[in-house]
């Protein structure tokens, strides 16, 4: 057990329900850490209101005000470093990050992606699962590596897909699971139970299978 609390920075672009779940889990001591800063790349993101309500320092770094991706990423890294985090959590963050950015924080960066990776990397995952008539869908927490949604999976949760589901129905069902599994995995990283090594995820020193912990 790691006794000292880890410092967590959350990156968001939108609603912030996953950020809220992580903030709540820290407050309940279900996560051995505290959220020291929330950064949004979108000024109107509801997640900024969530941070304000929880007295968490927040800032907006609007990617549209930068000439290129590298200068946005450099400014983002400055804002992150000022908070001296141990862990950086992408929670509905919608900008692809450069290789240099990912390399700087390798092993400290987690993302939650709304599909059963390696299925459906990228965007529009719920509609793609419906269009393909999948009977199940879900979400994956993974370490972020330079390859988009390609980093090793730590934990997944599955949901059924029903015949008359819209993408919004499915997104809501997936979110319920995300709010359960993301705080759990963030706590594992805070307690140094999971680690990234050689592009693989490890749990208590054991390499995890492709679909993460507790997968069959
Ligand atoms: N960056 C790296 N290097 N690796 C990953 O695994 C990343 C990442 C950045 C974000 C989240 C990811 C998701 O969970 C994520 C994982 C944005 C896009 C995207 O296409 C794709 C995947 C993810 C996030 N973004 C567009 C872009 O041009 C903008 C789309 C928009 O603004 O709506 O950056 O799904
Ligand atoms: C979540 O379902 C997350 O998996 C997904 O967006 C939602 C954000 O919800 N992430 C992506 O699509 C990343 N490209 P939230 O803002 O309420 O946490």
């Amino acid at each position: 057990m790691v006794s000292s609390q880890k410092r967590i920075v959350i990156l968001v672009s939108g609603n912030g329900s996953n950020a809220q779940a992580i903030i709540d889990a820290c407050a309940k001591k279900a996560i051995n850490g505290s959220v020291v800063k929330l950064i949004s790349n979108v000024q109107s993101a509801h997640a900024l209101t969530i941070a304000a309500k929880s007295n968490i320092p927040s800032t907006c770094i609007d990617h549209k005000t930068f000439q290129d991706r590298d200068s946005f990423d450099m400014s983002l890294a400055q804002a992150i470093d000022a908070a001296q985090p141990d862990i950086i959590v992408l929670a509905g963050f919608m900008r692809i990050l450069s290789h240099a950015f990912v390399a700087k924080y390798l092993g400290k960066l987690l993302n939650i992606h709304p599909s059963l990776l390696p299925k459906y990397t990228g965007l529009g995952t719920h509609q793609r699962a419906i269009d393909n008539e999948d009977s199940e869908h879900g979400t994956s927490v993974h370490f972020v590596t330079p390859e988009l949604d390609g980093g090793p999976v730590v934990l997944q949760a599955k949901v059924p897909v029903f015949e008359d589901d819209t993408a919004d129905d499915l997104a809501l069902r997936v979110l319920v699971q995300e709010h359960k599994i993301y705080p759990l995995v963030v706590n594992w990283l805070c307690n140094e139970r999971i680690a990234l090594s050689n592009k693989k995820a490890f749990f208590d020193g054991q390499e995890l299978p492709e679909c993460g912990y507790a997968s069959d």
Side-chain angles (χ1 to χ4, degrees):
M1 184 73 180
V2 175
S3 54
S4 68
Q5 286 218 334
K6 293 289 161 78
R7 297 171 64 82
I8 302 165
V9 164
I10 305 184
L11 306 186
V12 297
S13 301
N15 218 19
S17 69
N18 278 289
Q20 180 83 70
I22 290 164
I23 292 166
D24 291 348
C26 290
K28 285 192 305 196
K29 310 243 185 281
I31 291 178
N32 185 23
S34 62
V35 179
V36 294
K37 195 176 200 174
L38 180 143
I39 305 174
S40 173
N41 69 309
V42 177
Q43 185 67 64
S44 60
H46 178 251
L48 288 167
T49 309
I50 289 176
K53 283 193 177 144
S54 303
N55 290 315
I56 290 166
S58 67
T59 186
C60 174
I61 302 177
D62 182 351
H63 63 277
K64 294 196 291 300
T65 64
F66 293 85
Q67 276 199 332
D68 50 45
R69 283 181 185 267
D70 285 346
S71 47
F72 167 70
D73 282 6
M74 258 149 52
S75 176
L76 185 61
Q78 266 180 11
I80 290 170
D81 291 346
Q84 296 182 287
D86 301 297
I87 288 165
I88 300 139
V89 173
L90 276 53
F93 181 69
M94 298 306 290
R95 297 302 296 173
I96 297 171
L97 297 162
S98 65
H99 287 209
F101 180 97
V102 173
K104 181 171 158 73
Y105 301 109
L106 201 66
K108 297 179 169 186
L109 275 171
L110 289 174
N111 179 42
I112 191 154
H113 178 77
S115 79
L116 296 171
L117 289 172
K119 255 193 171 181
Y120 310 134
T121 60
L123 305 178
T125 56
H126 307 303
Q127 192 59 52
R128 283 151 74 196
I130 289 170
D131 292 346
N132 284 333
E133 299 180 5
D134 292 353
S135 60
E136 60 178 20
H137 183 51
T139 184
S140 307
V141 180
H142 65 94
F143 279 109
V144 175
T145 64
E147 190 196 341
L148 189 67
D149 299 325
V153 171
V154 176
L155 189 61
Q156 293 184 325
K158 291 178 182 171
V159 300
V161 184
F162 299 122
E163 240 171 54
D164 53 356
D165 271 344
T166 64
D168 286 349
D169 294 332
L170 202 45
L172 281 176
R173 199 172 303 131
V174 165
L175 274 171
V176 172
Q177 298 306 314
E178 293 190 331
H179 302 158
K180 294 180 184 167
I181 69 168
Y182 213 3
L184 192 62
V185 176
V186 170
N187 189 45
W188 286 345
L189 189 56
C190 286
N191 284 328
E192 298 172 19
R193 296 196 71 179
I194 55 168
L196 174 72
S197 178
N198 277 331
K199 301 185 182 174
K200 304 278 187 193
F202 288 78
F203 185 92
D204 287 347
Q206 294 257 71
E207 189 179 319
L208 287 170
E210 195 193 19
C211 295
Y213 187 81
S215 65
D216 48 21

